C-alpha cells in the first residue's frame, strides 16, 4: 500500500511540475519584471537550483510543506526534471515507508503494550 501511495504522489507531482514549468514560460516576462529579475539573475538562480534543487526537494518531502507547491515551484524555477523526479521519489518513498513502519509497529499495538505494562491508559495504576 505504501508503494501505491508513493506512486500516486509521484505521478501527481510530475503533472504539477509540468504545470509550473508551463506557467513560468507563459508568465516569465511579467513576473520577472514585477520582481525585478534580470535574465542574468534568473540564469544564476537556475544554475543554483540545478546543483542544490534536489536536496531542497528531498528536504521539503520530509517537512509539512505542501508537495503540490514544491512541485509547481520546481517546474517554474527550472529544476531539472530528472533531479526533481529522483529527489521526490527518494523523499516520498522514505517518508511513506517510515510512516508505514510506524503504523505497523506502533499504532494500536504500541498503545496496547503500553496499557498492559502500566496498568491503565493514563499510566497511573490504581492505588494498591
Amino acid at each position: 500500500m505504501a508503494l501505491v501511495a508513493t506512486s500516486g504522489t509521484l505521478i501527481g507531482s510530475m503533472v504539477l511540475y509540468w504545470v509550473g514549468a508551463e506557467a513560468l514560460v507563459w508568465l516569465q516576462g511579467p513576473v520577472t519584471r514585477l520582481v525585478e529579475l534580470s535574465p542574468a539573475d534568473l540564469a544564476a538562480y537556475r544554475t543554483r537550483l540545478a546543483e542544490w534543487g534536489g536536496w531542497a526537494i528531498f528536504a521539503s518531502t520530509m517537512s509539512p510543506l505542501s508537495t503540490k507547491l514544491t512541485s509547481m515551484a520546481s517546474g517554474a524555477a527550472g529544476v531539472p526534471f530528472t533531479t526533481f523526479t529522483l529527489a521526490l521519489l527518494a523523499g516520498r518513498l522514505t517518508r511513506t515507508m517510515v510512516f508505514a513502519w510506524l503504523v505497523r509497529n506502533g499504532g494500536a499495538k504500541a498503545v496496547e503494550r503500553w496499557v498492559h505494562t502500566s496498568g491503565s491508559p493514563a499510566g497511573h495504576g490504581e492505588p494498591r
Side-chain angles (χ1 to χ4, degrees):
M1 196 53 117
L3 294 176
V4 172
T6 301
S7 298
T9 298
L10 190 64
I11 291 167
S13 295
M14 292 165 115
V15 169
L16 290 172
Y17 174 94
W18 177 79
V19 168
E22 289 300 312
L24 180 67
V25 168
W26 185 63
L27 294 172
Q28 191 167 3
V31 171
T32 55
R33 284 191 298 273
L34 180 68
V35 295
E36 298 178 0
L37 275 176
S38 70
D41 292 335
L42 195 56
Y45 180 66
R46 285 187 168 166
T47 300
R48 279 193 303 271
L49 280 174
E51 186 177 348
W52 297 102
W55 288 109
I57 293 163
F58 180 82
S60 76
T61 63
M62 297 296 154
S63 74
L65 291 175
S66 169
T67 302
K68 295 171 192 78
L69 181 60
T70 301
S71 299
M72 286 189 289
S74 296
V79 173
F81 185 73
T82 303
T83 301
F84 166 77
T85 304
L86 292 175
L88 184 71
L89 177 63
R92 294 309 287 185
L93 190 57
T94 300
R95 181 180 172 140
T96 304
M97 295 306 250
V98 165
F99 279 127
W101 184 87
L102 286 172
V103 167
R104 182 175 183 156
N105 295 303
K109 289 181 183 179
V111 171
E112 187 178 320
R113 284 192 302 264
W114 178 67
V115 167
H116 290 305
T117 304
S118 66
S120 73
H124 305 286
E126 294 187 21
R128 295 181 187 180

